[in-house]
Amino acid sequence: MKSADCQEFFERLRRLNPEPRTELEYTTPFELLISVILSAQATDVSVNKATRPLYAVANTPEAMLRLGEEKLSEYIKTIGLYRTKARNVMGACKRLVDLHESEVPANREDLEALPGVGRKTANVVLNTAFGHPTMAVDTHIFRVGNRTGLAPGKDVLAVEKKLLKNIPREFLLDAHHWLILHGRYTCKARLPECWRCPVADLCRYKTKSKAPAA
C-alpha cells in the first residue's frame, strides 16, 4: 500500500473511532496482564465473564497466590486451556512478587520472562498499559495486514515489523486496536464485509465481497 493510502486508511479509522480501546475489562496493568494471558485461543467476552468475579477477590499478585491454582482454575474453567493458564498465572504472579516488587514490568525482556507471556502478550501490555507504540499481531491483525496490503508477510513477526515501518507514527499508539476491531467486526476471516468497509477503496484485496441479497 502506498504511503498516502496508508495515511488515509488510518485517518478514516480514527475519524470513526477516535479513542479505540481493548475489549478486555481491566483496571490495572496487573489485571490487563492476567486477562491477556487468559485470552490466548479464547474470546474477550469469555475472559471478561470469568475475570469479573475473579478480580473481585484477587486482583494483585499476592492475592492471586493466596487464592491458589485450584481455586483459580474454578474461576477460569470456562476458558479454553484453563489448567495450563492457571499454572502460568501462578508462575507469573510468583515472579512478579519475587523479582518486580509485585509490579508489572514495563519492558519487553522482563515481560517475556513471565510464564504464559510471549511477544504478542508483551506487546499488548506495553501498548495498552504503558503507552508504547507496539504492534501485537494476532490472527485478526495478521489477516488485515495481508489482505489490505498494509503489511504483507508470511509470519506474525514479519507483519509486525512491516506495520511498525509502514504506519505513520501519529497512528502507532492506537493502530493495534483499530486493526483488531476492524478484523473482528468488518474484515472477517470467512467473509470480509467489504460492502460496508470504510477503507475498501484503499484495500488491495482483489475479490471484494458484495452485500448479501435482501
Side-chain angles (χ1 to χ4, degrees):
M1 185 178 292
K2 296 179 180 178
S3 59
D5 288 347
C6 187
Q7 177 79 23
E8 178 64 18
F9 187 103
F10 285 99
E11 284 184 356
R12 291 183 193 179
L13 295 184
R14 180 170 63 184
R15 283 196 296 269
L16 290 169
N17 187 3
E19 297 182 355
R21 296 289 183 266
T22 177
E23 293 185 322
L24 289 171
E25 297 173 2
Y26 73 99
T27 59
T28 65
F30 175 73
E31 289 183 359
L32 176 65
L33 171 66
I34 300 306
S35 290
V36 180
I37 291 174
L38 296 178
S39 72
Q41 300 180 50
T43 66
D44 289 357
V45 171
S46 67
V47 173
N48 291 337
K49 186 176 180 180
T51 56
R52 286 175 199 137
L54 172 62
Y55 294 155
V57 298
N59 67 344
T60 67
E62 293 90 346
M64 200 70 76
L65 289 171
R66 287 195 298 270
L67 185 66
E69 186 176 324
E70 286 304 313
K71 288 185 179 179
L72 171 60
S73 295
E74 286 298 308
Y75 280 97
I76 65 171
K77 63 184 179 182
T78 55
I79 301 174
L81 306 174
Y82 74 95
R83 292 198 180 277
T84 298
K85 291 175 180 179
R87 287 195 296 272
N88 285 337
V89 167
M90 288 294 114
C93 288
K94 187 174 190 310
R95 192 172 180 89
L96 290 175
V97 170
D98 292 346
L99 300 179
H100 301 290
E101 298 181 343
S102 299
E103 297 293 327
V104 176
N107 67 83
R108 180 183 305 284
E109 181 179 2
D110 287 336
L111 281 170
E112 290 189 14
L114 299 174
V117 177
R119 185 178 183 88
K120 183 182 76 174
T121 297
N123 278 338
V124 173
V125 174
L126 289 171
N127 176 266
T128 304
F130 299 114
H132 293 198
T134 57
M135 186 63 58
V137 179
D138 66 352
T139 56
H140 296 301
I141 293 183
F142 183 79
R143 180 173 66 254
V144 172
N146 276 283
R147 263 188 190 162
T148 61
L150 276 173
K154 293 183 178 180
D155 56 51
V156 293
L157 184 58
V159 171
E160 177 187 330
K161 289 181 177 180
K162 284 188 178 180
L163 287 171
L164 291 174
K165 178 182 177 181
N166 295 341
I167 296 173
R169 187 160 186 83
E170 66 179 294
F171 303 115
L172 272 179
L173 183 60
D174 292 322
H176 163 73
H177 297 303
W178 282 320
L179 293 177
I180 282 181
L181 295 172
H182 189 65
R184 186 173 289 167
Y185 298 112
T186 304
C187 194
K188 299 177 181 179
R190 292 187 178 180
L191 180 65
E193 298 181 1
C194 304
W195 65 89
R196 65 176 191 86
C197 174
V199 291
D201 59 311
L202 304 171
C203 173
R204 297 297 183 262
Y205 189 52
K206 293 182 179 179
T207 54
K208 290 184 171 63
S209 60
K210 297 181 180 180

